[in-house]
Short mmCIF file of all heavy atoms in Angstrom, two decimals:
data_model
loop_
_atom_site.label_atom_id
_atom_site.label_comp_id
_atom_site.label_asym_id
_atom_site.label_seq_id
_atom_site.Cartn_x
_atom_site.Cartn_y
_atom_site.Cartn_z
N MET E 1 40.32 13.10 -68.00
CA MET E 1 39.82 14.07 -68.95
C MET E 1 40.88 15.16 -69.15
O MET E 1 41.36 15.76 -68.20
CB MET E 1 38.53 14.69 -68.42
CG MET E 1 38.02 15.80 -69.28
SD MET E 1 36.38 16.41 -68.85
CE MET E 1 36.71 17.32 -67.37
N GLN E 2 41.25 15.39 -70.38
CA GLN E 2 42.24 16.41 -70.73
C GLN E 2 41.51 17.72 -71.02
O GLN E 2 40.60 17.77 -71.82
CB GLN E 2 43.05 15.99 -71.94
CG GLN E 2 43.86 14.73 -71.72
CD GLN E 2 44.98 14.97 -70.72
OE1 GLN E 2 45.69 15.96 -70.78
NE2 GLN E 2 45.11 14.06 -69.78
N ARG E 3 41.93 18.78 -70.36
CA ARG E 3 41.33 20.09 -70.57
C ARG E 3 42.29 20.99 -71.32
O ARG E 3 43.50 20.79 -71.26
CB ARG E 3 40.97 20.74 -69.24
CG ARG E 3 39.89 20.01 -68.54
CD ARG E 3 39.43 20.80 -67.36
NE ARG E 3 38.32 20.08 -66.76
CZ ARG E 3 37.28 20.66 -66.23
NH1 ARG E 3 37.20 21.97 -66.20
NH2 ARG E 3 36.32 19.94 -65.71
N GLU E 4 41.74 21.98 -71.98
CA GLU E 4 42.55 22.98 -72.67
C GLU E 4 42.37 24.31 -71.95
O GLU E 4 41.30 24.89 -71.97
CB GLU E 4 42.15 23.10 -74.14
CG GLU E 4 42.60 21.92 -74.96
CD GLU E 4 42.41 22.14 -76.45
OE1 GLU E 4 41.83 23.17 -76.85
OE2 GLU E 4 42.85 21.28 -77.21
N TYR E 5 43.42 24.74 -71.29
CA TYR E 5 43.42 26.01 -70.60
C TYR E 5 44.03 27.10 -71.47
O TYR E 5 43.80 28.28 -71.25
CB TYR E 5 44.23 25.90 -69.31
CG TYR E 5 43.75 24.79 -68.40
CD1 TYR E 5 44.35 23.53 -68.42
CD2 TYR E 5 42.68 24.99 -67.55
CE1 TYR E 5 43.91 22.52 -67.60
CE2 TYR E 5 42.22 23.97 -66.73
CZ TYR E 5 42.84 22.74 -66.76
OH TYR E 5 42.39 21.73 -65.95
N PHE E 6 44.83 26.69 -72.45
CA PHE E 6 45.53 27.60 -73.34
C PHE E 6 45.22 27.22 -74.79
O PHE E 6 44.94 26.06 -75.08
CB PHE E 6 47.05 27.52 -73.10
CG PHE E 6 47.44 27.87 -71.69
CD1 PHE E 6 47.58 26.87 -70.74
CD2 PHE E 6 47.65 29.18 -71.32
CE1 PHE E 6 47.92 27.18 -69.43
CE2 PHE E 6 47.99 29.50 -70.01
CZ PHE E 6 48.13 28.49 -69.07
N GLU E 7 45.31 28.19 -75.68
CA GLU E 7 45.07 27.94 -77.10
C GLU E 7 46.20 27.06 -77.64
O GLU E 7 47.37 27.44 -77.56
CB GLU E 7 45.02 29.25 -77.88
CG GLU E 7 43.86 30.14 -77.49
CD GLU E 7 43.92 31.48 -78.19
OE1 GLU E 7 44.28 31.52 -79.39
OE2 GLU E 7 43.64 32.49 -77.53
N PRO E 8 45.87 25.88 -78.17
CA PRO E 8 46.91 24.94 -78.60
C PRO E 8 47.81 25.43 -79.73
O PRO E 8 48.97 25.07 -79.78
CB PRO E 8 46.13 23.71 -79.07
CG PRO E 8 44.72 23.93 -78.71
CD PRO E 8 44.54 25.36 -78.34
N ASN E 9 47.31 26.25 -80.63
CA ASN E 9 48.10 26.68 -81.78
C ASN E 9 48.68 28.08 -81.59
O ASN E 9 48.83 28.82 -82.55
CB ASN E 9 47.25 26.64 -83.05
CG ASN E 9 46.83 25.23 -83.38
OD1 ASN E 9 47.60 24.31 -83.20
ND2 ASN E 9 45.62 25.06 -83.85
N ARG E 10 49.02 28.41 -80.36
CA ARG E 10 49.55 29.74 -80.07
C ARG E 10 50.86 29.64 -79.30
O ARG E 10 51.03 28.75 -78.48
CB ARG E 10 48.53 30.51 -79.23
CG ARG E 10 49.00 31.88 -78.85
CD ARG E 10 47.96 32.66 -78.09
NE ARG E 10 48.57 33.85 -77.53
CZ ARG E 10 48.07 34.57 -76.58
NH1 ARG E 10 46.91 34.25 -76.06
NH2 ARG E 10 48.71 35.62 -76.11
N LEU E 11 51.78 30.55 -79.59
CA LEU E 11 52.99 30.69 -78.80
C LEU E 11 52.76 31.83 -77.81
O LEU E 11 52.39 32.93 -78.20
CB LEU E 11 54.20 31.03 -79.67
CG LEU E 11 54.90 29.88 -80.36
CD1 LEU E 11 56.08 30.41 -81.17
CD2 LEU E 11 55.38 28.85 -79.37
N TYR E 12 52.95 31.53 -76.53
CA TYR E 12 52.76 32.52 -75.48
C TYR E 12 54.11 33.10 -75.09
O TYR E 12 55.06 32.36 -74.87
CB TYR E 12 52.11 31.88 -74.25
CG TYR E 12 50.67 31.51 -74.46
CD1 TYR E 12 50.32 30.31 -75.07
CD2 TYR E 12 49.66 32.35 -74.04
CE1 TYR E 12 49.00 29.97 -75.26
CE2 TYR E 12 48.33 32.02 -74.22
CZ TYR E 12 48.00 30.84 -74.84
OH TYR E 12 46.68 30.51 -75.03
N ASP E 13 54.17 34.42 -75.00
CA ASP E 13 55.36 35.10 -74.53
C ASP E 13 55.39 35.04 -73.00
O ASP E 13 54.33 35.03 -72.37
CB ASP E 13 55.34 36.56 -75.00
CG ASP E 13 56.65 37.25 -74.73
OD1 ASP E 13 57.59 37.04 -75.51
OD2 ASP E 13 56.73 37.98 -73.74
N ASP E 14 56.56 35.00 -72.42
CA ASP E 14 56.67 34.91 -70.96
C ASP E 14 56.01 36.10 -70.26
O ASP E 14 55.68 36.01 -69.08
CB ASP E 14 58.13 34.80 -70.54
CG ASP E 14 58.30 34.33 -69.11
OD1 ASP E 14 57.52 33.46 -68.67
OD2 ASP E 14 59.21 34.84 -68.43
N ASP E 15 55.78 37.19 -70.96
CA ASP E 15 55.12 38.37 -70.38
C ASP E 15 53.60 38.30 -70.46
O ASP E 15 52.93 39.16 -69.88
CB ASP E 15 55.60 39.65 -71.08
CG ASP E 15 57.04 39.98 -70.75
OD1 ASP E 15 57.46 39.73 -69.61
OD2 ASP E 15 57.74 40.49 -71.64
N ASP E 16 53.05 37.30 -71.15
CA ASP E 16 51.59 37.21 -71.29
C ASP E 16 50.93 36.96 -69.93
O ASP E 16 51.33 36.07 -69.19
CB ASP E 16 51.20 36.08 -72.25
CG ASP E 16 51.46 36.42 -73.71
OD1 ASP E 16 51.63 37.62 -74.01
OD2 ASP E 16 51.46 35.50 -74.53
N ASP E 17 49.91 37.75 -69.64
CA ASP E 17 49.19 37.64 -68.37
C ASP E 17 48.52 36.27 -68.19
O ASP E 17 48.34 35.81 -67.07
CB ASP E 17 48.14 38.73 -68.24
CG ASP E 17 48.74 40.11 -68.08
OD1 ASP E 17 49.90 40.20 -67.63
OD2 ASP E 17 48.05 41.09 -68.41
N GLN E 18 48.15 35.61 -69.29
CA GLN E 18 47.49 34.31 -69.20
C GLN E 18 48.35 33.27 -68.49
O GLN E 18 47.84 32.35 -67.88
CB GLN E 18 47.09 33.78 -70.59
CG GLN E 18 46.09 34.64 -71.30
CD GLN E 18 46.75 35.65 -72.24
OE1 GLN E 18 47.85 36.14 -71.97
NE2 GLN E 18 46.08 35.97 -73.32
N LEU E 19 49.66 33.44 -68.57
CA LEU E 19 50.57 32.47 -67.95
C LEU E 19 50.55 32.55 -66.43
O LEU E 19 51.02 31.63 -65.75
CB LEU E 19 51.99 32.65 -68.47
CG LEU E 19 52.20 32.32 -69.95
CD1 LEU E 19 53.64 32.56 -70.34
CD2 LEU E 19 51.77 30.91 -70.26
N ASP E 20 49.99 33.62 -65.88
CA ASP E 20 49.87 33.72 -64.42
C ASP E 20 48.94 32.65 -63.87
O ASP E 20 48.92 32.40 -62.67
CB ASP E 20 49.39 35.11 -64.01
CG ASP E 20 50.48 36.16 -64.18
OD1 ASP E 20 51.66 35.78 -64.31
OD2 ASP E 20 50.15 37.36 -64.17
N LEU E 21 48.17 32.00 -64.74
CA LEU E 21 47.34 30.88 -64.32
C LEU E 21 48.20 29.76 -63.73
O LEU E 21 47.81 29.13 -62.74
CB LEU E 21 46.53 30.33 -65.51
CG LEU E 21 45.70 29.09 -65.27
CD1 LEU E 21 44.57 29.39 -64.29
CD2 LEU E 21 45.11 28.57 -66.58
N ILE E 22 49.37 29.53 -64.29
CA ILE E 22 50.21 28.45 -63.78
C ILE E 22 51.18 28.92 -62.71
O ILE E 22 51.47 28.17 -61.78
CB ILE E 22 50.97 27.71 -64.91
CG1 ILE E 22 51.87 28.63 -65.70
CG2 ILE E 22 50.01 27.00 -65.83
CD1 ILE E 22 52.76 27.92 -66.69
N ALA E 23 51.68 30.14 -62.81
CA ALA E 23 52.61 30.68 -61.80
C ALA E 23 52.99 32.10 -62.20
O ALA E 23 52.98 32.44 -63.39
CB ALA E 23 53.86 29.82 -61.70
N PRO E 24 53.38 32.92 -61.22
CA PRO E 24 53.89 34.26 -61.56
C PRO E 24 55.18 34.16 -62.39
O PRO E 24 55.87 33.14 -62.36
CB PRO E 24 54.19 34.89 -60.20
CG PRO E 24 53.52 34.04 -59.19
CD PRO E 24 53.35 32.68 -59.79
N LYS E 25 55.49 35.22 -63.09
CA LYS E 25 56.67 35.23 -63.98
C LYS E 25 57.95 34.88 -63.23
O LYS E 25 58.78 34.12 -63.73
CB LYS E 25 56.79 36.61 -64.63
CG LYS E 25 57.90 36.70 -65.65
CD LYS E 25 57.93 38.04 -66.33
CE LYS E 25 59.08 38.09 -67.32
NZ LYS E 25 59.13 39.36 -68.04
N SER E 26 58.12 35.40 -62.02
CA SER E 26 59.34 35.12 -61.25
C SER E 26 59.45 33.64 -60.90
O SER E 26 60.53 33.06 -60.92
CB SER E 26 59.39 35.96 -59.99
OG SER E 26 58.28 35.69 -59.15
N LYS E 27 58.34 33.00 -60.59
CA LYS E 27 58.34 31.57 -60.26
C LYS E 27 58.66 30.74 -61.51
O LYS E 27 59.41 29.77 -61.44
CB LYS E 27 56.99 31.16 -59.67
CG LYS E 27 56.89 29.70 -59.30
CD LYS E 27 57.90 29.27 -58.27
CE LYS E 27 57.52 29.73 -56.91
NZ LYS E 27 58.42 29.23 -55.85
N ARG E 28 58.12 31.14 -62.66
CA ARG E 28 58.43 30.42 -63.90
C ARG E 28 59.92 30.49 -64.21
O ARG E 28 60.52 29.52 -64.67
CB ARG E 28 57.59 30.96 -65.07
CG ARG E 28 56.10 30.69 -64.92
CD ARG E 28 55.33 31.02 -66.19
NE ARG E 28 55.55 32.33 -66.74
CZ ARG E 28 54.82 33.40 -66.47
NH1 ARG E 28 53.81 33.33 -65.63
NH2 ARG E 28 55.09 34.56 -67.06
N ALA E 29 60.54 31.65 -63.93
CA ALA E 29 61.99 31.80 -64.15
C ALA E 29 62.75 30.85 -63.24
O ALA E 29 63.73 30.22 -63.66
CB ALA E 29 62.41 33.24 -63.90
N GLN E 30 62.33 30.73 -61.99
CA GLN E 30 62.97 29.78 -61.06
C GLN E 30 62.82 28.36 -61.57
O GLN E 30 63.77 27.57 -61.54
CB GLN E 30 62.35 29.90 -59.67
CG GLN E 30 62.67 31.17 -58.95
CD GLN E 30 61.90 31.28 -57.64
OE1 GLN E 30 61.28 30.32 -57.17
NE2 GLN E 30 61.92 32.46 -57.05
N TRP E 31 61.62 28.01 -62.02
CA TRP E 31 61.38 26.67 -62.54
C TRP E 31 62.28 26.37 -63.72
O TRP E 31 62.85 25.28 -63.82
CB TRP E 31 59.93 26.51 -62.95
CG TRP E 31 58.94 26.41 -61.83
CD1 TRP E 31 59.21 26.30 -60.50
CD2 TRP E 31 57.52 26.40 -61.96
NE1 TRP E 31 58.04 26.23 -59.79
CE2 TRP E 31 56.99 26.28 -60.65
CE3 TRP E 31 56.66 26.49 -63.03
CZ2 TRP E 31 55.62 26.24 -60.41
CZ3 TRP E 31 55.29 26.44 -62.79
CH2 TRP E 31 54.79 26.32 -61.49
N ARG E 32 62.41 27.33 -64.65
CA ARG E 32 63.25 27.10 -65.83
C ARG E 32 64.69 26.83 -65.43
O ARG E 32 65.35 25.95 -65.98
CB ARG E 32 63.17 28.29 -66.79
CG ARG E 32 61.87 28.38 -67.54
CD ARG E 32 61.93 29.40 -68.68
NE ARG E 32 62.32 30.73 -68.25
CZ ARG E 32 61.47 31.68 -67.86
NH1 ARG E 32 60.17 31.43 -67.83
NH2 ARG E 32 61.92 32.87 -67.50
N SER E 33 65.19 27.58 -64.44
CA SER E 33 66.58 27.39 -64.02
C SER E 33 66.79 26.05 -63.33
O SER E 33 67.89 25.51 -63.33
CB SER E 33 67.02 28.53 -63.10
OG SER E 33 66.39 28.43 -61.85
N LYS E 34 65.72 25.47 -62.77
CA LYS E 34 65.81 24.18 -62.09
C LYS E 34 65.35 23.01 -62.98
O LYS E 34 65.37 21.86 -62.53
CB LYS E 34 64.95 24.21 -60.82
CG LYS E 34 65.47 25.19 -59.79
CD LYS E 34 64.57 25.23 -58.58
CE LYS E 34 65.10 26.25 -57.57
NZ LYS E 34 64.25 26.35 -56.39
N GLY E 35 64.93 23.31 -64.20
CA GLY E 35 64.49 22.26 -65.11
C GLY E 35 63.11 21.73 -64.79
O GLY E 35 62.80 20.58 -65.09
N PHE E 36 62.26 22.55 -64.18
CA PHE E 36 60.91 22.15 -63.81
C PHE E 36 59.93 23.00 -64.60
O PHE E 36 60.30 24.02 -65.18
CB PHE E 36 60.72 22.37 -62.30
CG PHE E 36 59.36 21.98 -61.80
CD1 PHE E 36 59.02 20.65 -61.66
CD2 PHE E 36 58.43 22.94 -61.47
CE1 PHE E 36 57.77 20.29 -61.21
CE2 PHE E 36 57.17 22.60 -61.01
CZ PHE E 36 56.84 21.26 -60.88
N GLY E 37 58.67 22.60 -64.63
CA GLY E 37 57.63 23.39 -65.29
C GLY E 37 57.42 22.96 -66.72
O GLY E 37 57.99 21.96 -67.19
N PRO E 38 56.59 23.71 -67.43
CA PRO E 38 56.28 23.34 -68.82
C PRO E 38 57.47 23.55 -69.75
O PRO E 38 58.36 24.36 -69.47
CB PRO E 38 55.13 24.29 -69.18
CG PRO E 38 55.21 25.41 -68.22
CD PRO E 38 55.85 24.87 -66.98
N ALA E 39 57.48 22.81 -70.85
CA ALA E 39 58.52 22.97 -71.87
C ALA E 39 58.45 24.39 -72.43
O ALA E 39 57.38 25.01 -72.45
CB ALA E 39 58.31 21.95 -72.99
N PHE E 40 59.59 24.91 -72.87
CA PHE E 40 59.62 26.27 -73.39
C PHE E 40 60.67 26.37 -74.49
O PHE E 40 61.52 25.50 -74.65
CB PHE E 40 59.93 27.28 -72.27
CG PHE E 40 61.26 27.07 -71.59
CD1 PHE E 40 62.38 27.75 -72.03
CD2 PHE E 40 61.39 26.19 -70.54
CE1 PHE E 40 63.61 27.57 -71.40
CE2 PHE E 40 62.60 25.99 -69.90
CZ PHE E 40 63.72 26.69 -70.35
N PHE E 41 60.58 27.45 -75.24
CA PHE E 41 61.56 27.78 -76.27
C PHE E 41 62.35 28.98 -75.78
O PHE E 41 61.79 29.89 -75.18
CB PHE E 41 60.87 28.18 -77.59
CG PHE E 41 60.06 27.09 -78.21
CD1 PHE E 41 58.68 27.06 -78.03
CD2 PHE E 41 60.65 26.11 -78.98
CE1 PHE E 41 57.92 26.06 -78.61
CE2 PHE E 41 59.90 25.11 -79.56
CZ PHE E 41 58.52 25.09 -79.38
N ARG E 42 63.64 28.97 -76.05
CA ARG E 42 64.48 30.12 -75.71
C ARG E 42 65.04 30.68 -77.02
O ARG E 42 65.74 29.99 -77.76
CB ARG E 42 65.62 29.71 -74.79
CG ARG E 42 66.51 30.87 -74.37
CD ARG E 42 67.67 30.44 -73.51
NE ARG E 42 67.28 29.70 -72.33
CZ ARG E 42 66.92 30.23 -71.16
NH1 ARG E 42 66.89 31.54 -71.04
NH2 ARG E 42 66.60 29.48 -70.14
N PHE E 43 64.69 31.93 -77.31
CA PHE E 43 65.20 32.63 -78.47
C PHE E 43 66.05 33.78 -77.93
O PHE E 43 65.53 34.86 -77.66
CB PHE E 43 64.07 33.18 -79.33
CG PHE E 43 63.14 32.10 -79.86
CD1 PHE E 43 61.90 31.89 -79.28
CD2 PHE E 43 63.52 31.31 -80.93
CE1 PHE E 43 61.05 30.92 -79.77
CE2 PHE E 43 62.68 30.34 -81.42
CZ PHE E 43 61.44 30.13 -80.84
N GLY E 44 67.32 33.52 -77.71
CA GLY E 44 68.17 34.52 -77.06
C GLY E 44 67.69 34.70 -75.63
O GLY E 44 67.69 33.76 -74.86
N ARG E 45 67.24 35.90 -75.32
CA ARG E 45 66.71 36.17 -73.97
C ARG E 45 65.19 36.02 -73.91
O ARG E 45 64.61 36.12 -72.83
CB ARG E 45 67.09 37.58 -73.54
CG ARG E 45 68.58 37.77 -73.43
CD ARG E 45 68.89 39.18 -73.02
NE ARG E 45 69.63 39.12 -71.76
CZ ARG E 45 69.88 40.16 -71.01
NH1 ARG E 45 69.42 41.33 -71.34
NH2 ARG E 45 70.58 40.02 -69.91
N ARG E 46 64.56 35.82 -75.06
CA ARG E 46 63.10 35.72 -75.10
C ARG E 46 62.67 34.29 -74.82
O ARG E 46 63.23 33.34 -75.36
CB ARG E 46 62.58 36.18 -76.45
CG ARG E 46 62.91 37.67 -76.68
CD ARG E 46 62.35 38.18 -77.94
NE ARG E 46 60.90 38.28 -77.77
CZ ARG E 46 60.08 38.54 -78.76
NH1 ARG E 46 60.52 38.72 -79.98
NH2 ARG E 46 58.78 38.61 -78.55
N ILE E 47 61.64 34.16 -74.00
CA ILE E 47 61.09 32.85 -73.64
C ILE E 47 59.69 32.75 -74.21
O ILE E 47 58.87 33.66 -74.06
CB ILE E 47 61.03 32.68 -72.10
CG1 ILE E 47 62.41 32.83 -71.49
CG2 ILE E 47 60.37 31.36 -71.73
CD1 ILE E 47 63.40 31.76 -71.89
N LYS E 48 59.40 31.64 -74.87
CA LYS E 48 58.08 31.38 -75.44
C LYS E 48 57.60 30.01 -74.98
O LYS E 48 58.39 29.08 -74.79
CB LYS E 48 58.14 31.39 -76.97
CG LYS E 48 58.59 32.69 -77.59
CD LYS E 48 57.50 33.70 -77.54
CE LYS E 48 57.89 34.94 -78.34
NZ LYS E 48 56.81 35.91 -78.41
N TYR E 49 56.30 29.90 -74.81
CA TYR E 49 55.67 28.63 -74.44
C TYR E 49 54.64 28.27 -75.50
O TYR E 49 53.84 29.12 -75.92
CB TYR E 49 54.94 28.76 -73.10
CG TYR E 49 55.83 28.97 -71.91
CD1 TYR E 49 56.14 30.24 -71.47
CD2 TYR E 49 56.33 27.88 -71.20
CE1 TYR E 49 56.95 30.44 -70.36
CE2 TYR E 49 57.14 28.08 -70.09
CZ TYR E 49 57.44 29.35 -69.67
OH TYR E 49 58.24 29.55 -68.57
N ASP E 50 54.63 27.03 -75.92
CA ASP E 50 53.64 26.53 -76.87
C ASP E 50 52.37 26.17 -76.10
O ASP E 50 52.45 25.52 -75.05
CB ASP E 50 54.20 25.31 -77.60
CG ASP E 50 53.26 24.80 -78.65
OD1 ASP E 50 52.42 23.94 -78.31
OD2 ASP E 50 53.35 25.25 -79.80
N GLY E 51 51.23 26.58 -76.61
CA GLY E 51 49.96 26.30 -75.93
C GLY E 51 49.72 24.82 -75.69
O GLY E 51 49.20 24.42 -74.65
N THR E 52 50.13 23.98 -76.63
CA THR E 52 49.97 22.53 -76.46
C THR E 52 50.80 22.03 -75.30
O THR E 52 50.34 21.23 -74.48
CB THR E 52 50.37 21.80 -77.76
OG1 THR E 52 49.55 22.29 -78.83
CG2 THR E 52 50.18 20.30 -77.62
N ASP E 53 52.04 22.51 -75.19
CA ASP E 53 52.90 22.12 -74.06
C ASP E 53 52.32 22.60 -72.73
O ASP E 53 52.38 21.88 -71.73
CB ASP E 53 54.31 22.69 -74.24
CG ASP E 53 55.07 22.05 -75.38
OD1 ASP E 53 54.78 20.89 -75.72
OD2 ASP E 53 55.97 22.72 -75.92
N LEU E 54 51.77 23.81 -72.71
CA LEU E 54 51.17 24.33 -71.49
C LEU E 54 49.99 23.48 -71.04
O LEU E 54 49.86 23.16 -69.85
CB LEU E 54 50.73 25.78 -71.68
CG LEU E 54 51.85 26.80 -71.86
CD1 LEU E 54 51.27 28.14 -72.32
CD2 LEU E 54 52.62 26.97 -70.56
N ASN E 55 49.14 23.10 -71.99
CA ASN E 55 47.99 22.26 -71.66
C ASN E 55 48.43 20.89 -71.16
O ASN E 55 47.89 20.36 -70.18
CB ASN E 55 47.06 22.10 -72.87
CG ASN E 55 46.29 23.36 -73.16
OD1 ASN E 55 45.89 24.09 -72.25
ND2 ASN E 55 46.09 23.64 -74.42
N GLU E 56 49.43 20.32 -71.81
CA GLU E 56 49.95 19.01 -71.41
C GLU E 56 50.50 19.08 -69.98
O GLU E 56 50.23 18.21 -69.15
CB GLU E 56 51.04 18.58 -72.39
CG GLU E 56 51.62 17.22 -72.12
CD GLU E 56 52.69 16.87 -73.13
OE1 GLU E 56 52.42 16.95 -74.33
OE2 GLU E 56 53.81 16.50 -72.69
N TRP E 57 51.27 20.11 -69.69
CA TRP E 57 51.86 20.25 -68.36
C TRP E 57 50.78 20.49 -67.31
O TRP E 57 50.80 19.87 -66.25
CB TRP E 57 52.88 21.39 -68.35
CG TRP E 57 53.55 21.53 -67.02
CD1 TRP E 57 54.60 20.80 -66.56
CD2 TRP E 57 53.19 22.42 -65.98
NE1 TRP E 57 54.92 21.20 -65.28
CE2 TRP E 57 54.06 22.19 -64.90
CE3 TRP E 57 52.20 23.39 -65.85
CZ2 TRP E 57 53.98 22.90 -63.71
CZ3 TRP E 57 52.13 24.10 -64.66
CH2 TRP E 57 53.02 23.85 -63.61
N ALA E 58 49.83 21.38 -67.61
CA ALA E 58 48.76 21.68 -66.65
C ALA E 58 47.96 20.42 -66.31
O ALA E 58 47.62 20.18 -65.15
CB ALA E 58 47.84 22.76 -67.20
N ASN E 59 47.70 19.59 -67.30
CA ASN E 59 46.96 18.35 -67.05
C ASN E 59 47.80 17.33 -66.29
O ASN E 59 47.28 16.53 -65.53
CB ASN E 59 46.44 17.76 -68.36
CG ASN E 59 45.22 18.51 -68.86
OD1 ASN E 59 44.19 18.56 -68.20
ND2 ASN E 59 45.35 19.12 -70.02
N SER E 60 49.13 17.39 -66.46
CA SER E 60 50.00 16.41 -65.79
C SER E 60 50.16 16.70 -64.30
O SER E 60 50.49 15.80 -63.53
CB SER E 60 51.37 16.36 -66.45
OG SER E 60 52.13 17.50 -66.14
N VAL E 61 49.96 17.95 -63.88
CA VAL E 61 50.13 18.29 -62.46
C VAL E 61 48.80 18.31 -61.72
O VAL E 61 48.75 18.68 -60.54
CB VAL E 61 50.87 19.64 -62.27
CG1 VAL E 61 52.28 19.55 -62.81
CG2 VAL E 61 50.10 20.79 -62.90
N ARG E 62 47.75 17.88 -62.38
CA ARG E 62 46.41 17.82 -61.76
C ARG E 62 46.45 16.83 -60.60
O ARG E 62 46.97 15.73 -60.72
CB ARG E 62 45.39 17.39 -62.80
CG ARG E 62 43.99 17.29 -62.26
CD ARG E 62 43.04 16.96 -63.41
NE ARG E 62 41.70 16.85 -62.91
CZ ARG E 62 41.00 15.71 -62.84
NH1 ARG E 62 41.55 14.61 -63.32
NH2 ARG E 62 39.81 15.68 -62.37
N VAL E 63 45.91 17.23 -59.47
CA VAL E 63 45.86 16.38 -58.30
C VAL E 63 44.45 15.83 -58.16
O VAL E 63 43.48 16.58 -58.10
CB VAL E 63 46.25 17.15 -57.00
CG1 VAL E 63 46.11 16.27 -55.79
CG2 VAL E 63 47.65 17.71 -57.14
N LYS E 64 44.36 14.52 -58.11
CA LYS E 64 43.06 13.87 -57.97
C LYS E 64 43.03 13.19 -56.61
O LYS E 64 43.78 12.25 -56.36
CB LYS E 64 42.88 12.84 -59.09
CG LYS E 64 41.52 12.23 -59.12
CD LYS E 64 41.37 11.32 -60.33
CE LYS E 64 40.00 10.71 -60.35
NZ LYS E 64 39.83 9.82 -61.50
N PRO E 65 42.18 13.66 -55.69
CA PRO E 65 42.12 13.06 -54.35
C PRO E 65 41.78 11.57 -54.44
O PRO E 65 40.99 11.14 -55.27
CB PRO E 65 41.01 13.83 -53.65
CG PRO E 65 40.87 15.10 -54.42
CD PRO E 65 41.26 14.78 -55.82
N THR E 66 42.41 10.79 -53.56
CA THR E 66 42.18 9.35 -53.59
C THR E 66 41.12 8.90 -52.59
O THR E 66 40.59 7.81 -52.70
CB THR E 66 43.49 8.60 -53.30
OG1 THR E 66 44.01 9.06 -52.05
CG2 THR E 66 44.50 8.85 -54.40
N SER E 67 40.86 9.72 -51.57
CA SER E 67 39.83 9.34 -50.60
C SER E 67 39.09 10.59 -50.15
O SER E 67 39.62 11.69 -50.15
CB SER E 67 40.47 8.65 -49.40
OG SER E 67 41.36 9.52 -48.75
N PRO E 68 37.81 10.42 -49.74
CA PRO E 68 37.05 11.59 -49.30
C PRO E 68 37.61 12.16 -48.00
O PRO E 68 38.21 11.44 -47.19
CB PRO E 68 35.63 11.04 -49.09
CG PRO E 68 35.77 9.57 -49.01
CD PRO E 68 37.05 9.19 -49.69
N ALA E 69 37.43 13.45 -47.82
CA ALA E 69 37.96 14.12 -46.63
C ALA E 69 37.21 13.73 -45.37
O ALA E 69 36.12 13.32 -45.33
CB ALA E 69 37.89 15.63 -46.82
#
């Protein structure tokens, strides 16, 4: 089941508080430098995330347990 955590038709600025759902701003910066995390746009020094990309990434890292505890 695919969930929508972010508005699909919105560009999120790296300063938006909603992005703390996936990681703090400093961690997202580390991920970008290592080529990990959701896809993003770079406009000079400004970083933007597409809501569709954020939802796709969030659903891709979902952990589904394989056996009961």
Side-chain angles (χ1 to χ4, degrees):
M1 174 171 74
Q2 297 292 314
R3 293 189 177 217
E4 287 189 355
Y5 305 96
F6 300 94
E7 296 175 40
N9 295 323
R10 179 177 168 197
L11 277 181
Y12 289 83
D13 189 80
D14 196 38
D15 290 325
D16 286 343
D17 291 336
Q18 297 94 328
L19 294 179
D20 287 344
L21 175 66
I22 59 172
K25 185 176 179 178
S26 60
K27 180 60 76 175
R28 293 190 308 267
Q30 290 174 11
W31 287 352
R32 287 192 304 270
S33 71
K34 295 178 181 179
F36 181 74
F40 61 93
F41 297 99
R42 181 182 305 274
F43 300 102
R45 297 179 121 191
R46 297 183 72 189
I47 302 295
K48 299 284 188 176
Y49 293 92
D50 183 270
T52 302
D53 291 334
L54 291 169
N55 287 324
E56 182 180 308
W57 183 82
N59 283 299
S60 74
V61 296
R62 180 176 179 249
V63 177
K64 187 175 180 181
T66 56
S67 61

